[in-house]
Amino acid sequence: MADIAYLKHKILNGENITESEAQTLADLTPEEEEQLMEAAAEITSKFGSKHFDSCSIINARSGRCPENCKWCAQSAHYPTSISNYPLVDHDECMRLADYNREQGIGRFSLVTSGRTVEGKALDTICDYYSELAEKGGMHLCASMGLLSAEALRRLRKSGVTRYHCNMETAPSHFPTLCSTHTIEDKIRTINAAREAGMEICCGGIIGMGETAAQRVEFAIALRRVNPDSIPINILSPIPGTPLADSKPLTEREILLTVAAFRMIHPHVVLRFAGGRAALSREAQIKSIHIGINGGIMGDLLTTIGSQIADDKAMVAECGYTF
């Protein structure tokens, strides 16, 4: 049984709840669920910035990934209809960056398919980032798989200030979804990125067959890497992947997940990422009220995202600056 009032008091007084306390958030009565969301809203109001942390990503290299992640449209193991292309060309990269800068987006990231990036592709990407850094106007992020320590240092030198590498799900659930790399591989990359001088963005996907207890386990596990930003993706089942027929989470399950993450990570930016378009506008607003204070704007990697103007209006309605 969870004592939500006690946990809220503890967090508001600057303490973290323990792992055993956090685990009580996975099995609540309807009354406790309401208390959890109210507590999460109060914690968000006290500790969160009123500036919504916006970012945008571009799919800088698509498809043909050798990893077998069961959720991913870009895996070469599954017959999806994803477009396959090598590294995005210079002019297209700069055009997309200019557009997002003009829209007031705070962060901009190149995302590449594949296990890693090296050789000429890494040279080109570093050149892109150096030019973007010179232009200024946005923080630069990168999401490029399991990079070497040297590659991460090169990205940092080129102007990248934050590295993204998702843990994806609870450690107890991850091996059922991917066998070509491990969570420990990811943590080594994250640690190397931090050693290179970068902030860390690390989250994952909910709705991949995990239990409510595993969603809480996932939030607790993220404490290992102390992320600055936690993207919360909601699975968009992709035809051809093993998770194509996954049963979607209910809006209430998603809201309770956001609230639990806020209780476990009171100071971190919780970032809405892929899949939120499936939520009603009311549920998205509720999510912002109880914990979400950042988001990926515009189109995503392989699924349609949201319109930046619509997001700006919703964020302003929730009392945030953009």
Side-chain angles (χ1 to χ4, degrees), residues 258-274:
V258 170
F261 269 66
R262 177 51 72 209
M263 299 287 280
I264 296 166
H265 297 276
H267 301 280
V268 174
V269 172
L270 296 183
R271 185 179 306 279
F272 250 164

Side-chain angles (χ1 to χ4, degrees), residues 232-236 251 254 272-284 296 298-300 303-307 311 314:
I232 299 176
N233 295 270
I234 303 160
L235 180 69
S236 295
E251 290 193 337
I254 293 165
F272 250 164
R276 70 180 170 98
L279 293 177
S280 66
R281 193 171 191 276
E282 179 184 24
Q284 292 189 52
I296 300 177
D299 285 350
L300 304 174
T303 56
I304 298 300
S306 58
Q307 296 296 319
D311 283 338
M314 182 171 64

Side-chain angles (χ1 to χ4, degrees), residues 86-310:
L87 202 61
V88 64
D89 69 37
H90 170 273
D91 290 351
E92 179 67 1
C93 177
M94 296 305 149
R95 183 188 69 80
L96 291 168
D98 289 344
Y99 171 76
N100 282 283
R101 189 184 300 106
E102 291 164 3
Q103 296 297 312
I105 298 296
R107 302 180 181 278
F108 182 74
S109 181
L110 305 185
V111 181
T112 57
S113 66
R115 184 179 179 89
T116 192
V117 177
E118 55 194 0
K120 291 183 178 179
L122 180 62
D123 294 341
T124 300
I125 284 170
C126 288
D127 287 343
Y128 288 176
Y129 276 122
S130 294
E131 184 173 342
L132 291 169
E134 187 174 345
K135 289 184 176 183
M138 293 186 293
H139 296 286
L140 300 178
C141 309
S143 180
M144 299 178 178
L146 305 177
L147 291 186
S148 67
E150 174 58 26
L152 290 161
R153 287 191 292 268
R154 288 187 60 189
L155 283 178
R156 181 67 190 93
K157 187 175 180 180
S158 299
V160 176
T161 59
R162 179 175 289 183
Y163 195 71
H164 167 262
C165 183
N166 275 346
M167 193 175 288
E168 303 298 5
T169 190
S172 66
H173 191 47
F174 187 89
T176 71
L177 298 171
C178 177
S179 64
T180 50
H181 61 270
T182 67
I183 282 182
E184 294 304 318
D185 292 329
K186 291 171 173 290
I187 290 174
R188 280 191 291 273
T189 299
I190 290 165
N191 289 340
R194 181 168 278 122
E195 289 171 6
M198 287 186 269
E199 297 176 343
I200 299 302
C201 181
C202 180
I205 308 171
I206 60 174
M208 297 196 293
E210 77 285 348
T211 64
Q214 285 174 317
R215 289 192 283 277
V216 172
E217 177 197 342
F218 172 32
I220 295 167
L222 285 167
R223 284 180 170 176
R224 284 188 62 185
V225 297
N226 189 28
D228 301 276
S229 164
I230 297 177
I232 299 176
N233 295 270
I234 303 160
L235 180 69
S236 295
I238 305 296
T241 67
L243 299 186
D245 297 322
S246 296
K247 180 183 177 181
L249 297 178
T250 66
E251 290 193 337
R252 190 167 185 85
E253 287 175 312
I254 293 165
L255 290 170
L256 291 170
T257 300
V258 170
F261 269 66
R262 177 51 72 209
M263 299 287 280
I264 296 166
H265 297 276
H267 301 280
V268 174
V269 172
L270 296 183
R271 185 179 306 279
F272 250 164
R276 70 180 170 98
L279 293 177
S280 66
R281 193 171 191 276
E282 179 184 24
Q284 292 189 52
I285 289 172
K286 178 76 169 179
S287 296
I288 293 172
H289 182 61
I290 65 174
I292 296 294
N293 53 2
I296 300 177
M297 309 299 193
D299 285 350
L300 304 174
L301 293 181
T302 61
T303 56
I304 298 300
S306 58
Q307 296 296 319
I308 292 175
D310 293 340

